[in-house]
Amino acid sequence: EELERLVERGAVRDLTQLRECNLKGRLVVEGQRYAVHNALVAEAHVAVELTWTAKLKVPLGKLQPGETMTAHCGFFFRIEDGRIAAQHNYDCFEPF
């Protein structure tokens, strides 16, 4: 099976689809880390600026297994009843 490089046009996923993507992701990366740089809260909305890194298990682009993939991200959450009701991510990957 050929690995998708990125979801170029974005995606809307329900909880079941998110779980499936998480399982697939575990085959590709390990040791994911999130370094939070800023977070803002306004009523039921949260915005987070972060850097995501993970070690690759498979080759991807110019990166080889064991090398680190990095993305600079903006995560935006809507909270209802103390739980995440919606999430939007905007990821900017370093060249790979």
Side-chain angles (χ1 to χ4, degrees):
E1 176 180 52
E2 189 169 319
L3 183 67
E4 284 184 26
R5 287 187 57 143
L6 292 175
V7 180
E8 293 181 25
R9 291 182 173 83
V12 175
R13 297 183 177 116
D14 62 23
L15 185 57
T16 299
Q17 292 167 322
L18 286 172
R19 288 182 174 150
E20 290 171 1
C21 288
N22 180 274
L23 292 174
K24 287 180 183 178
R26 291 179 188 200
L27 300 174
V28 177
V29 299
E30 62 186 351
Q32 295 184 72
R33 300 283 184 260
Y34 296 86
V36 175
H37 306 296
N38 291 297
L40 301 170
V41 177
E43 298 179 14
H45 301 275
V46 179
V48 180
E49 176 189 8
L50 61 90
T51 300
W52 169 89
T53 57
K55 187 179 351 174
L56 286 172
K57 292 181 171 182
V58 299
L60 185 60
K62 296 177 185 173
L63 297 176
Q64 297 303 310
E67 293 186 302
T68 300
M69 180 174 234
T70 301
H72 305 280
C73 310
F75 284 12
F76 300 87
F77 303 95
R78 183 171 45 83
I79 309 298
E80 290 180 6
D81 299 321
R83 299 178 67 138
I84 298 171
Q87 176 179 340
H88 296 90
N89 296 7
Y90 299 92
D91 307 323
C92 181
F93 284 85
E94 291 185 359
F96 60 91

